[in-house]
Amino acid sequence: RATGRGEVLEPLAVEPGWYALAWPGFQVSTAAVYQAWDKVGGDGRNHLFRAACVVEPRLAEFATVLGPGWMMTGSGSAFFKEAATEAEAHALVAGRECWVAVATAIDAWG
């Protein structure tokens, strides 16, 4: 867990899990997202999503295509969704017309 300005790090216990990852194929400037956040603020699980959509409107469309339960990573532009099993994670990314991957949680420094 990172606190402060991100310089105070605290290790967390690894919780087993599987994740579906999806990237729309375009980047979003982190600096631009934070500048937009100063103007529009944020809400929800990822407070940067609204600002990222101001910087790159295609993100909102991408999130809609992915469907419910997907969350943007950091300041964007990738998304992830937790899955109960590896098979479920693979099913979540099957047939998607974007870069996709399946990942599992690992101990620190894997």
Side-chain angles (χ1 to χ4, degrees), residues 18-24 43-46 49 53 59-74 77-83 88-103:
W18 287 94
Y19 301 89
L21 308 171
W23 180 61
D43 60 358
R45 289 181 62 199
N46 183 328
F49 180 67
C53 289
L59 280 177
E61 181 182 341
F62 186 67
T64 299
V65 168
L66 289 174
W70 287 82
M71 188 168 140
M72 187 178 74
T73 61
S77 61
F79 285 73
F80 72 95
K81 185 172 183 176
E82 190 169 3
E88 181 183 329
H90 280 284
L92 287 167
V93 300
R96 300 264 181 197
E97 294 185 16
C98 61
W99 180 92
V100 295
V102 169

Side-chain angles (χ1 to χ4, degrees), residues 11-53:
L12 297 174
V14 174
E15 296 183 24
W18 287 94
Y19 301 89
L21 308 171
W23 180 61
F26 53 84
Q27 300 174 339
V28 179
S29 163
T30 298
V33 169
Y34 276 92
Q35 288 171 350
W37 184 89
D38 288 340
K39 295 175 185 157
V40 301
D43 60 358
R45 289 181 62 199
N46 183 328
H47 287 257
L48 295 174
F49 180 67
R50 180 186 302 161
C53 289

